[in-house]
Amino acid sequence: MKRFALIGAAGYIAPRHMRAIKDTGNQLVSAYDINDSVGIIDSISPQSEFFTEFERFYEHAWQLKRHPQTALQYVAVCSPNYLHHPHIAAGLRLGCDVICEKPLVPTPDVLDELALVERETGQRVYNILQLRHHQAILALKDKVGSAANTHKYDVELTYITSRGRWYMESWKGDPRKSFGVATNIGVHFYDMLHFIFGKLQRNVVHFADEQKAAGYLEYERARVRWFLSIDAQDLPEAVRGKKPTYRSITVDGEEMEFSEGFTDLHTVSYQEILAGRGFGIEDARHCVETVNTIRSAARSTPQNDEGHPFLKTLTL
């Protein structure tokens, strides 16, 4: 049984980590968040300590470290995006391996800094890239990677996940903290595209504001038109007023169905990490580089057929 701490216990994604810790037969020893709405702990790990000040959390972990039988082995990081770097570094310096939500960090330079802390401490950082474990995505990767297959695919990615007014008032609506909508809601899709279709060759941004972004990505084996949004007004007419989310990925015009099979992917991710097969810093580098370029790129006018169809409804 491994002993875990969790940073960011009041966040949306934290219960999936708590359940993954429990379902893999391990123990959540302590948790931290500046907010105290963490009653979910009672149904998963009621024995866990809980702190609302990081200093007290860190001191408690340091005291546990003095004795092999009480020392933590892992720290899970579910805090806001801009805090991932310091929280990961703190976990490593406590002598723990760290499991962190995506985006791991905002830029390749910060990845390099984390790699330095890994070397200094002898510990490892693992990124949750759960789509790499989805059976439909693994099947497509096998098909694309077939030795006899030299085809370059045409892919259209559309992801609209409606968010209320609270979103822009929270850290997620502050690009200094979330790093923008493409990073916050899109980074795992960019990782998925790289995982399936290979190295990125072109990265063009056609539109970007606080609520949506669109562009074109060309990989070794695919041409991708993408559109991401948190604005309910972007939902297709057939969906609007019925469902808050619209997710569509087509490959050569054929819908890629992976709406099911998400429930246990965090647990699968934990199983793989605990078995020594987790995704580390270099696995995360490609998607970090992709979103870093998207944030800094100037808008360009779509060329040929590279613009996503939803661009027609926007003022470019």
Side-chain angles (χ1 to χ4, degrees), residues 157-305:
L157 165 63
T158 311
Y159 181 52
I160 303 164
T161 178
S162 307
R163 295 292 184 262
R165 297 180 184 275
W166 69 268
Y167 186 96
M168 299 308 297
E169 294 297 322
S170 75
W171 65 266
K172 296 182 179 184
D174 183 344
R176 297 170 301 175
K177 296 180 178 180
S178 69
F179 312 121
V181 69
T183 300
N184 196 46
I185 71 169
V187 67
H188 57 301
F189 289 117
Y190 303 129
D191 176 72
M192 177 196 73
L193 291 168
H194 159 59
F195 181 64
I196 297 171
F197 298 111
K199 292 182 180 179
L200 185 61
Q201 297 173 330
R202 285 184 65 208
N203 187 347
V204 181
V205 177
H206 296 144
F207 184 91
D209 67 12
E210 292 180 335
Q211 295 187 308
K212 62 199 78 175
Y216 175 80
L217 298 162
E218 186 158 348
Y219 294 87
E220 292 174 290
R221 303 296 305 278
R223 294 175 289 265
V224 183
R225 300 183 296 176
W226 61 271
F227 180 89
L228 305 173
S229 174
I230 59 167
D231 185 354
Q233 296 304 308
D234 291 323
L235 291 167
E237 287 292 339
V239 174
R240 196 177 302 171
K242 300 174 184 176
K243 294 193 296 184
T245 299
Y246 176 76
R247 176 175 54 214
S248 172
I249 299 177
T250 62
V251 180
D252 282 352
E254 182 178 345
E255 189 80 23
M256 178 180 169
E257 177 53 50
F258 69 108
S259 56
E260 302 297 328
F262 279 92
T263 307
D264 299 321
L265 291 184
H266 273 72
T267 296
V268 174
S269 297
Y270 269 67
Q271 289 169 340
E272 292 296 298
I273 290 167
L274 291 163
R277 298 186 294 265
F279 300 117
I281 285 175
E282 291 310 310
D283 296 297
R285 186 173 295 276
H286 197 283
C287 62
V288 169
E289 289 175 343
T290 301
V291 294
N292 186 53
T293 298
I294 289 171
R295 283 196 306 273
S296 58
R299 293 190 207 177
S300 64
T301 303
Q303 303 296 317
N304 302 319
D305 196 33

